[in-house]
Amino acid sequence: MKKILAAIIIASIILIGAVSAEETIPLLPAQYFGTAQTTNANPITAGTEITAELNGETFTYKVIENGKIGEAGTFDEKFIISPSNPSAEGKVIKFKIGSVEASQTVTFESGKSESLALIFAVEAQTKGTENKIITAPPIVISENPIPQNFALVVETIPQSQKDSLPKFSQGTTVLKIVEITPENPPAGNYKVILTFTLTPSEIASLGVTKDKIILMHHNGAQNKWDSLRTWISSETGGAVNYSAEAESFSAFAIGASTTATQTAVPASTNSGSGSSGGNSVSTQSPQQSYTAAPQTEQTIKPSATASYAATAQAKPTETKTPFALAGLIAGLACAMVLLRK
């Protein structure tokens, strides 16, 4: 009888080990904060999305303050990376803006909080007589390589051409109209984030508050003015720095609308869109505000690039409820009692 009970005990121990081995222990998210700059030490513009690739998954962070990734404080917002597969532990994370990789990589460690100093070769050069209006290097958002000679030529529109453009909607005032033409652009679709500055007197000349500034683009197909997604990226000494996102180029108008509504820059999320199907974790709630912004005359040699990855809601790795394990332990306990008798 004792031999039988001993055999039961040994078998139970083996089964307990097998059940434990099947259980998946989820990884804790890693948190990252620090800086994001161009190779010329200019800050990456607020509104730009930085992606992190890890173990077949992609996570996304939207810059909410020029040149910064989150904050170092314990309860401050950070770039959170939470892989769904435990095999991600110890693997390299690559940070990108579109197709352009940062010079720094890090190794994923579950639960770690780490500082970053990311540098991207995405800066555009500017030239022309009106460079003062574009106050930060443009960033090109594209999944394809950016030709080194890609440039945006910004020119003043002559009065004869202005007269042929459609009228602006009621309540809209215009500070300047320019023509922007790309030279040697990247293949496929791309976007460009442009940053410009308006002085208090320029804003006052439009008769509006700073949150009513808008950048409009001439929609040639429908012969009308479209308001572009624009936001306040920062303020310096009373001057307001605006950033705007353009997807096509023709005539642009810097102006204001009394009906414009201030809109927050979309919240950033970590999104897993890798081959393994990905999970995502919300990283932050940006504090920037949309308002439209102006563009100006000049030639810009934009930089390279950031592509917007789709966002999804995070799903932590599931663990199996160990009912079988509990049953085995109970059986083992009973066997030991019988063995003593």
Side-chain angles (χ1 to χ4, degrees):
M1 181 66 178
K2 289 184 178 181
K3 290 182 178 180
I4 295 174
L5 290 175
I8 293 173
I9 292 171
I10 293 171
S12 297
I13 292 172
I14 293 172
L15 288 172
I16 289 171
V19 171
S20 299
E22 288 181 0
E23 292 186 357
T24 301
I25 300 175
L27 295 175
L28 294 173
Q31 304 179 71
Y32 299 94
F33 60 92
T35 59
Q37 298 181 327
T38 69
T39 50
N40 290 325
N42 289 309
I44 295 298
T45 306
T48 303
E49 286 193 349
I50 297 174
T51 58
E53 296 180 356
L54 170 65
N55 199 36
E57 293 181 284
T58 300
F59 304 86
T60 306
Y61 177 88
K62 185 183 291 293
V63 177
I64 61 171
E65 184 176 345
N66 290 342
K68 295 184 71 175
I69 300 173
E71 298 284 351
T74 303
F75 300 105
D76 291 332
E77 294 168 343
K78 294 177 175 63
F79 189 171
I80 298 173
I81 296 180
S82 182
S84 60
N85 195 321
S87 65
E89 183 71 23
K91 292 188 177 178
V92 172
I93 302 173
K94 293 182 179 180
F95 297 94
K96 293 183 176 182
I97 292 180
S99 60
V100 176
E101 285 189 26
S103 58
Q104 178 188 13
T105 59
V106 297
T107 300
F108 179 83
E109 294 183 39
S110 178
K112 187 173 184 179
S113 182
E114 186 172 352
S115 176
L116 300 172
L118 303 182
I119 298 176
F120 298 92
V122 297
E123 183 173 300
Q125 296 180 354
T126 60
K127 60 183 180 180
T129 59
E130 298 294 333
N131 284 345
K132 63 181 181 180
I133 299 177
I134 300 298
T135 53
I139 292 178
V140 183
I141 302 168
S142 173
E143 283 301 323
N144 296 308
I146 307 301
Q148 291 185 354
N149 58 349
F150 174 42
L152 294 181
V153 181
V154 185
E155 301 174 312
T156 301
I157 294 180
Q159 187 60 48
S160 58
Q161 185 178 345
K162 290 180 182 179
D163 293 339
S164 66
L165 293 171
K167 292 183 178 180
F168 294 94
S169 60
Q170 186 175 2
T172 300
T173 53
V174 176
L175 180 66
K176 199 165 197 176
I177 302 177
V178 297
E179 182 83 19
I180 301 181
T181 306
E183 291 184 347
N184 304 307
N189 297 326
Y190 62 94
K191 300 178 183 179
V192 176
I193 295 178
L194 296 171
T195 298
F196 55 90
T197 302
L198 289 186
T199 64
S201 61
E202 287 174 323
I203 296 173
S205 70
L206 293 169
V208 296
T209 55
K210 62 184 179 182
D211 60 305
K212 300 298 183 181
I213 301 298
I214 58 172
L215 177 64
M216 294 164 283
H217 173 249
H218 178 228
N219 182 333
Q222 300 181 28
N223 195 32
K224 67 183 185 70
W225 291 99
D226 293 333
S227 295
L228 298 183
R229 190 172 76 88
T230 316
W231 60 96
I232 296 174
S233 54
S234 63
E235 297 185 42
T236 308
V240 182
N241 301 313
Y242 296 90
S243 292
E245 189 176 83
E247 298 184 38
S248 58
F249 302 92
S250 59
F252 288 81
I254 302 162
S257 173
T258 56
T259 60
T261 303
Q262 191 172 5
T263 311
V265 170
S268 174
T269 57
N270 282 351
S271 74
S273 56
S275 59
S276 61
N279 296 333
S280 71
V281 178
S282 176
T283 61
Q284 59 186 25
S285 298
Q287 303 162 353
Q288 311 297 21
S289 56
Y290 281 142
T291 7
Q295 224 85 350
T296 71
E297 318 156 348
Q298 71 199 13
T299 304
I300 310 171
K301 224 175 194 176
S303 56
T305 167
S307 85
Y308 292 111
T311 58
Q313 195 59 38
K315 301 177 185 174
T317 305
E318 296 181 357
T319 57
K320 298 180 181 179
T321 306
F323 291 116
L325 178 59
L328 288 170
I329 292 174
L332 178 59
C334 292
M336 291 179 70
V337 171
L338 291 174
L339 184 59
R340 288 178 181 176
K341 292 183 179 182

